[in-house]
Amino acid sequence: MAKRRVIDLSRADRGDYVPARGFFVRLAWLVVEALLVNNRLLVISSWRIGLLRLFGAKIGTGCRFMQAIRVKFPWELEVGDHCWFGEGVWIWNHARVQVGSHVCLSQNAFLSSGSHGVSTDMVLRVAPIVIEDGVWVSTGCVVQMGVTIGRSAVVTPLSVVHKSLEAEGIYGGNPCRFIKWRFEKPAD
């Protein structure tokens, strides 16, 4: 019987990821996030937003960030106006995550702008995520690196978004597929 291949994890490294802040800033954020941002007892959204902004996040007006959210690197986060981030949202953003205005990220949504080379050397690869205005990423969804979710699209619960989604569609499943139009079919 042929011996099955195994990827040597000792060869894995950061790949194309370059830290945008120094070690001590990243360490300070790690402590602040653990003690205050990802804390169910801190229920005041404006404090959480203030801490994210203090570390470089660009967050518009009228946003609500519920307790116990996680943001890997706030300096790689840009959020428009009047957005809702539900409890348990996790943004693993080694690259820029850009969220438009009037966007809802429901409970336990997970956005990851990084992953590893699967069939080669497991090095870290990064690519931005763009979520356009009016999008609703519902409960428990996963949005992967390099994805753009078009304006006013909806992603149904527990879906995995592997590739970009067209505006105004409703999508679901793993892999995420078109279900129907959210509004009347858009004119071409």
Side-chain angles (χ1 to χ4, degrees), residues 2-178:
K3 193 171 186 178
R4 301 287 180 180
R5 290 181 276 187
V6 172
I7 293 174
D8 181 358
L9 293 180
S10 68
R11 293 184 9 205
D13 62 21
R14 293 188 216 193
D16 59 1
Y17 168 67
V18 177
R21 298 292 188 275
F23 172 77
F24 291 108
V25 172
R26 294 191 319 253
L27 180 62
W29 172 249
L30 180 73
V31 172
V32 167
E33 184 202 30
L35 295 178
L36 300 172
V37 176
N38 189 24
N39 184 335
R40 293 182 190 285
L41 299 176
L42 181 61
V43 296
I44 302 171
S45 179
S46 60
W47 290 7
R48 188 168 286 105
I49 290 169
L51 290 167
L52 286 161
R53 285 179 178 149
L54 180 68
F55 279 86
K58 294 179 178 118
I59 301 172
T61 62
C63 293
R64 297 194 53 181
F65 283 56
M66 300 309 292
Q67 62 266 34
I69 68 163
R70 299 203 53 202
V71 177
K72 181 70 174 173
F73 298 124
W75 45 89
E76 294 290 356
L77 179 63
E78 184 177 333
V79 179
D81 298 326
H82 306 287
C83 292
W84 298 348
F85 284 44
E87 185 174 340
V89 167
W90 190 356
I91 301 172
W92 190 262
N93 56 335
H94 284 82
R96 172 76 58 198
V97 170
Q98 183 179 351
V99 178
S101 295
H102 306 284
V103 170
C104 178
L105 299 179
S106 291
Q107 296 81 358
N108 299 313
F110 179 65
L111 284 62
S112 178
S113 64
S115 189
H116 296 276
V118 176
S119 62
T120 55
D121 52 12
M122 292 290 288
V123 299
L124 183 60
R125 303 284 185 229
V126 298
I129 293 172
V130 176
I131 299 176
E132 295 180 353
D133 295 346
V135 168
W136 176 16
V137 176
S138 58
T139 303
C141 291
V142 174
V143 179
Q144 295 184 332
M145 63 184 265
V147 163
T148 295
I149 300 178
R151 183 182 180 93
S152 295
V154 174
V155 183
T156 63
L158 302 174
S159 296
V160 179
V161 184
H162 297 275
K163 62 183 181 175
S164 295
L165 305 178
E166 193 175 335
E168 297 187 2
I170 298 175
Y171 302 87
N174 181 6
C176 203
R177 292 189 172 101
F178 177 80

Side-chain angles (χ1 to χ4, degrees), residues 134 151-154 167-170 180-186:
R151 183 182 180 93
S152 295
V154 174
E168 297 187 2
I170 298 175
K180 66 179 186 173
W181 294 112
R182 183 176 188 180
F183 310 112
E184 292 180 28
K185 186 174 188 276

